[in-house]
Amino acid sequence: MNKIPLSLYVHIPWCVQKCPYCDFNSHGVKQTIPETEYITHLLDDLANDAKKIGDRQVNTLFIGGGTPSLFSAQGIARLLEGVKQRVNLSAQAEITLEANPGTVESERFKQYQQAGVNRVSIGVQSFQSDKLKALGRIHDHQQATNAAGYAHNAGLASFNMDLMHGLPNQKLQDALVDLRHAIKQQPPHLSWYQLTIEPNTQFHSKPPTLPEDDILWDIQEQGQLLLVEAGYQQYEISGYAQPNHQCQHNLNYWRFGDYLGIGCGAHGKITDLKTGEISRTEKVKHPRGYMDLSKDYLFKHHQVADDELPFEFFMNRFRLNEACEKSEYENLTGISLTSETMQKLNNAAEKGLIDQDQNFWQVTALGRRYLNTLLEQLI
């Protein structure tokens, strides 16, 4: 188990305002963001977690939120320098920062690149004014389009655009117009995913009118054809990339790699390479509690039981289109396949949800369409 890849996730929880669909740990800005103080706490949090990993190399770093682009380039530079002092960050590490089109301009993207960021993820969601208003977004069509141009010109290695479909009252042509415009901006990576209503959101308490299932399926089918024609390869449920531009950080999640999670509400997964025990962690959620010097940053910690590992592994691994080597299961979980798990996989294969042979599992097109059904087979 000594070759399990390792990533680092950093959470910055502040947004200009909370979006009605968002179930992430984010907080609308009510006054000045305590940027300097929060970064100090992030680095102290990381110093504590670094004891768990020794000299293991960190291959990717993702700064998510919230809206990390509310932080200054100087603050991000200080954060990245502090990270390098505390962990063994690969010189070739993919370093991503999430950005809202309403909070960036050309010069700021260049400054983030100079600070050490080599990839940005732009939360566009839609290019249509009525849809952006329904989603509670603070940017407009032009700002979203401009942000892609800034990213192209900032000297970054890559960038992503987040785009949603299945929006309130969205018709097929609305969704395809959005997607065509996104493709026109030529982002190396597109995260194109369906809006879902999550608990503890405004949309959950006051549900909007969403497209019917037939329209959703038409959007998915026709949208994927557009993406293929434009040279994008689908490598994950909602991940589409031009060649060599897959998000390495997300790939590590789905391949059941390890990751440290620092910052408010951040989650982590770490394998003890000596014992094989896998632990999950969650940090204190609220900024006020997280920055309380009298308290620990750690909110929850538990060891993943052996009987939970099969579902956890396949829930992540089967999101990917690539075949899964059977040897990965034991190498990454530290346990062998039980006869019960093998029977569940055989049942999924009989239903056409996966293909399998002596060395590989592969999710079929049917399995990708009915992924939840596939995963239910494995519970």
Side-chain angles (χ1 to χ4, degrees), residues 51-281:
K51 299 169 187 175
K52 305 172 186 175
I53 61 170
D55 62 353
R56 290 176 66 184
Q57 182 171 274
V58 175
N59 300 312
T60 69
L61 193 166
F62 195 104
I63 305 170
T67 306
S69 54
L70 290 173
F71 273 32
S72 68
Q74 293 79 9
I76 297 300
R78 178 188 164 214
L79 171 65
L80 294 181
E81 185 58 36
V83 168
K84 293 173 185 176
Q85 293 170 2
R86 289 160 177 79
V87 296
N88 177 21
L89 183 66
S90 168
Q92 289 76 45
E94 175 193 84
I95 301 176
T96 302
L97 178 124
E98 287 187 335
N100 187 309
T103 63
V104 293
E105 63 284 330
S106 179
E107 192 59 31
R108 179 169 286 215
F109 267 6
K110 291 179 181 177
Q111 290 172 350
Y112 287 141
Q113 188 273 337
Q114 292 164 359
V117 173
N118 53 34
R119 183 179 183 272
V120 296
S121 181
I122 306 169
V124 171
Q125 315 311 358
S126 177
F127 291 95
Q128 298 172 34
S129 298
D130 61 326
K131 299 299 184 285
L132 289 169
K133 183 177 180 180
L135 293 172
R137 305 299 288 172
I138 65 169
H139 64 273
D140 58 25
H141 167 95
Q142 193 58 53
Q143 288 173 316
T145 302
N146 290 345
Y150 302 155
H152 275 298
N153 295 325
L156 298 160
S158 189
F159 74 93
N160 168 64
M161 292 182 76
D162 272 354
L163 191 72
M164 283 185 178
H165 59 85
L167 305 181
N169 300 304
Q170 189 176 51
K171 296 180 173 59
L172 171 62
Q173 288 308 314
D174 291 335
L176 297 183
V177 165
D178 256 354
L179 184 57
R180 287 191 184 98
H181 192 76
I183 291 171
K184 187 178 179 181
Q185 311 315 308
Q186 298 182 311
H189 189 285
L190 257 170
S191 294
W192 187 58
Y193 54 96
Q194 182 182 325
L195 170 66
T196 55
I197 306 300
E198 302 292 345
N200 303 314
T201 64
Q202 291 180 42
F203 274 179
H204 189 262
S205 58
K206 296 181 179 179
T209 302
L210 299 182
E212 295 179 355
D213 288 346
D214 287 348
I215 295 175
L216 292 173
W217 182 244
D218 288 342
I219 291 172
Q220 189 74 26
E221 278 197 319
Q222 295 189 36
Q224 287 184 342
L225 289 175
L226 289 176
L227 287 159
V228 170
E229 290 171 1
Y232 290 89
Q233 300 169 351
Q234 184 183 19
Y235 68 99
E236 186 263 338
I237 292 174
S238 59
Y240 300 81
Q242 294 175 352
N244 303 314
H245 284 281
Q246 295 92 339
C247 178
Q248 298 304 307
H249 186 86
N250 286 348
L251 277 173
N252 189 45
Y253 286 154
W254 310 138
R255 289 172 176 163
F256 209 59
D258 281 352
Y259 51 96
L260 295 176
I262 68 168
C264 294
H267 291 252
K269 168 189 170 286
I270 292 295
T271 305
D272 185 319
L273 299 185
K274 293 181 179 178
T275 66
E277 294 177 351
I278 296 174
S279 297
R280 291 198 176 274
T281 59

Side-chain angles (χ1 to χ4, degrees), residues 313-328:
F313 176 84
F314 291 112
M315 178 182 65
N316 287 280
R317 195 58 181 78
F318 281 173
R319 288 182 64 100
L320 295 174
N321 286 6
E322 67 185 20
C324 174
E325 288 191 48
K326 290 186 174 182
S327 60
E328 290 180 23

Side-chain angles (χ1 to χ4, degrees), residues 306-314 318 329 335-349 354 356 361 377-379:
D306 285 357
D307 60 1
E308 297 173 354
L309 283 169
F311 180 72
E312 285 216 7
F313 176 84
F314 291 112
F318 281 173
Y329 179 85
I335 61 175
S336 300
L337 275 173
T338 64
S339 57
E340 181 183 8
T341 300
M342 286 191 285
Q343 183 58 53
K344 290 177 179 179
L345 289 163
N346 290 337
N347 291 341
I354 62 170
Q356 60 179 342
W361 295 293
Q377 302 288 310
L378 302 173
I379 294 176

